[in-house]
Every structure is written in structure tokens, then in C-alpha cells.
Amino acid sequence: MGRIHICVKRTLIFVCVLICIISTLLLAITLFGHGYFHQSEEIEDILPGIVVMYVLEAATLVLSIFGVYGARKEKKWALVLFSVGMSLASLYLFVECVNAYHSKHEMEELTREEHLAMMPLSGAKQTDIETIYNIQTNLKCCGLVQGYQDWGTDIPLSCLCSDEDSTDFKCVAPGNNTRFVIHYPNSDMSEDDDHKGLMDEHMLVYEKPCLPILISVESYAISLGIGTLVALTALWDVGVVLAITILCQMRRKVDVPPVIFTFQPPQYRELCDTAESV
């Protein structure tokens, strides 16, 4: 029993140290994300989520310290506090995983509706064009639904497929009546120059449209986030089980009655004495 008790203690200390490291990393990532989105217009929408992350990560960080202290010193109150706190945090993450799974399809539909509202791209707003320009550059795609045809006769340079990209991405030649134009608002060209076309019959564009790729990337990101939350929940549950095991072992130690050893002369000596007297 003593060897098992020591093994459980060491395992709990390892799990608590791992939780402490993960909580610290997540807290640093949250701080970085808060600073990154601080000046953006989206900060008001994501601020409640950031506050929840701060509270959750700080709480798990403190609870992991209590878990290490309770396991090393075998303090009942510290182990109870760790078990209750991590159980509540695990329950909260489980609820968030369920909500994220159910809202996954809704988020994909919302993304599809938001981008389809930009159609037709030939008459889209400048802010929408800038957004699509960045998507095309990062995802190596062109247009939203029907590829380069969504742009009409004026195809942005972000659709241009270079020789290096043509080995990894499928590229096609646009129609003869199309031209490449710069749709980026931060260019140094004037408004008139901004619509001057570049013609080259050897130029290629990305074949695949961006909307299916964008939805696929978003779906993968959501699945990855859910998987991360499930892994954290499992790790926290392991810590809770180990803490409860140590508490049960400590209780058994208290309930074991003390053993008292007494020394009495063996009875055979009395029998021998009786035999000698006869």
C-alpha cells in the first residue's frame, strides 16, 4: 500500500506541474491575443470570451499549485480544494465542447452567407475586396464560388499563379477578354492607374474558388479547438481522480487501529515446570 501511495502522489505532482505549464502558456497566448485585437473593432465582441479565459486559466494555475502542495505535504484541505475546483473547471469545458460542436454547422453557414453577400465581386465594396484579396493570397485560390469568373473581366493580381505555385496548386488560363488589375487600396497608384490592366496570354490563375477552402479551414480550426478542449478536460479529470485516490488512502491510514505488542512468557515453560514437580 505504501509503494502505491507514493506512486499516486508522484503521478499527481507530475499532472499538476503539467497543468501549471499549460495554464501559463494559455495565459500568455490570451494576453498576446488581447493585445493584438485591442485596437480592432472586433474587441467588443470577443472581450467577454477573453475575460472568461483569463479567469479560467488563472484559476487552474492556482489550483495546480494547491494540488502540488497537497500531494507533497498530504494536506487534506488542499487536495479537496484542488478536486472541487478542477471538477468545476472540467465541467465548464465539457459544456463548451458540446456547445462548440452543435454550433459548428451554424458558424459554417454564417461564413458562407457573409461571403456570398459580397457577390458579385466586380461591384463589391473596397473593404470586401481587400478581405477577399487577403484570402486569395493566403489560401492560393481565386474568387468565391466559380473561381476567377466571379471577377468578370478584371481579375486581381492576388489570383495570379506563379511558376512556383503551379507545382503545388492547380492553375488555369483565364479567358482572352480578361485582364489583371490591382484591387488593393494601399497601393501607391492613383485611382485611374488602379484600374489599368496587365495583359499576358501566358499568365495563369488559381483554379479553385476560395469559399469551399475557407469553410474547410474554419471547420478544421473548430475541430482542432474542440479536440484541445477535450484533451484538457481529460487531463484535469485525471488530476481529480488521483487527488481523490490520495484522500481515500489518507482516510484508510487514519481508520487503521493501532497494533499493540505485548510480551508474555510462553506457556510451555509452565507445563515443563509442572511436569518436573510431578
Side-chain angles (χ1 to χ4, degrees):
M1 179 64 69
R3 183 176 299 179
I4 296 177
H5 182 69
I6 294 175
C7 181
V8 174
K9 285 177 56 178
R10 291 178 178 177
T11 306
L12 178 58
I13 293 174
F14 173 78
V15 171
C16 290
V17 171
L18 187 60
I19 293 174
C20 183
I21 295 174
I22 294 176
S23 300
T24 303
L25 291 176
L26 291 177
L27 188 60
I29 293 174
T30 305
L31 286 171
F32 176 79
H34 190 185
Y36 180 80
F37 290 103
H38 181 68
Q39 301 295 336
S40 65
E41 298 178 355
E42 301 175 354
I43 187 63
E44 295 181 358
D45 298 330
I46 64 176
L47 186 59
I50 293 177
V51 173
V52 172
M53 293 296 295
Y54 278 140
V55 174
L56 185 63
E57 292 158 0
T60 54
L61 178 61
V62 175
L63 289 172
S64 63
I65 297 175
F66 281 120
V68 173
Y69 175 75
R72 289 182 60 87
K73 302 297 183 180
E74 294 191 359
K75 297 294 184 180
K76 183 178 179 180
W77 66 267
L79 292 173
V80 171
L81 182 61
F82 172 81
S83 301
V84 174
M86 296 305 292
S87 297
L88 295 176
S90 178
L91 180 61
Y92 173 79
L93 275 192
F94 176 76
V95 173
E96 289 298 319
C97 288
V98 174
N99 293 335
Y101 179 79
H102 287 296
S103 62
K104 179 181 178 181
H105 181 70
E106 297 179 359
M107 296 180 66
E108 293 176 357
E109 289 297 326
L110 181 62
T111 301
R112 181 179 286 104
E113 293 176 359
E114 288 180 351
H115 288 81
L116 288 179
M118 301 177 184
M119 299 288 289
L121 298 183
S122 57
K125 300 178 182 178
Q126 193 63 46
T127 54
D128 294 339
I129 291 177
E130 180 181 356
T131 300
I132 299 174
Y133 196 106
N134 293 329
I135 294 175
Q136 293 177 156
T137 303
N138 295 326
L139 300 182
K140 307 298 183 181
C141 54
C142 185
L144 291 177
V145 181
Q146 297 180 348
Y148 72 90
Q149 298 178 5
D150 293 338
W151 290 102
T153 57
D154 295 340
I155 304 175
L157 290 180
S158 56
C159 288
L160 183 62
C161 182
S162 62
D163 295 336
E164 297 178 356
D165 295 333
S166 61
T167 58
D168 299 326
F169 302 91
K170 190 172 183 180
C171 304
V172 295
N176 296 328
N177 296 326
T178 59
R179 61 176 183 170
F180 291 93
V181 297
I182 299 176
H183 284 292
Y184 206 60
N186 294 330
S187 62
D188 296 332
M189 303 174 65
S190 63
E191 184 177 356
D192 295 335
D193 293 336
D194 196 41
H195 293 82
K196 288 183 178 180
L198 304 174
M199 300 293 296
D200 191 339
E201 59 181 2
H202 299 293
M203 286 184 173
L204 301 176
V205 295
Y206 297 110
E207 180 186 28
K208 293 184 178 181
C210 294
L211 188 56
I213 300 176
L214 182 62
I215 294 177
S216 177
V217 171
E218 184 180 76
S219 178
Y220 176 78
I222 296 174
S223 300
L224 182 62
I226 293 175
T228 303
L229 294 180
V230 171
L232 287 177
T233 303
L235 179 63
W236 294 354
D237 289 339
V238 170
V240 172
V241 171
L242 293 173
I244 294 176
T245 302
I246 294 177
L247 289 172
C248 294
Q249 292 175 349
M250 292 172 59
R251 183 176 181 182
R252 290 179 181 178
K253 285 184 179 181
V254 176
D255 294 340
V256 173
V259 179
I260 301 176
F261 295 94
T262 59
F263 179 78
Q264 295 181 354
Q267 297 296 327
Y268 72 87
R269 293 184 59 185
E270 297 180 0
L271 294 176
C272 294
D273 294 341
T274 304
E276 290 178 358
S277 61
V278 175

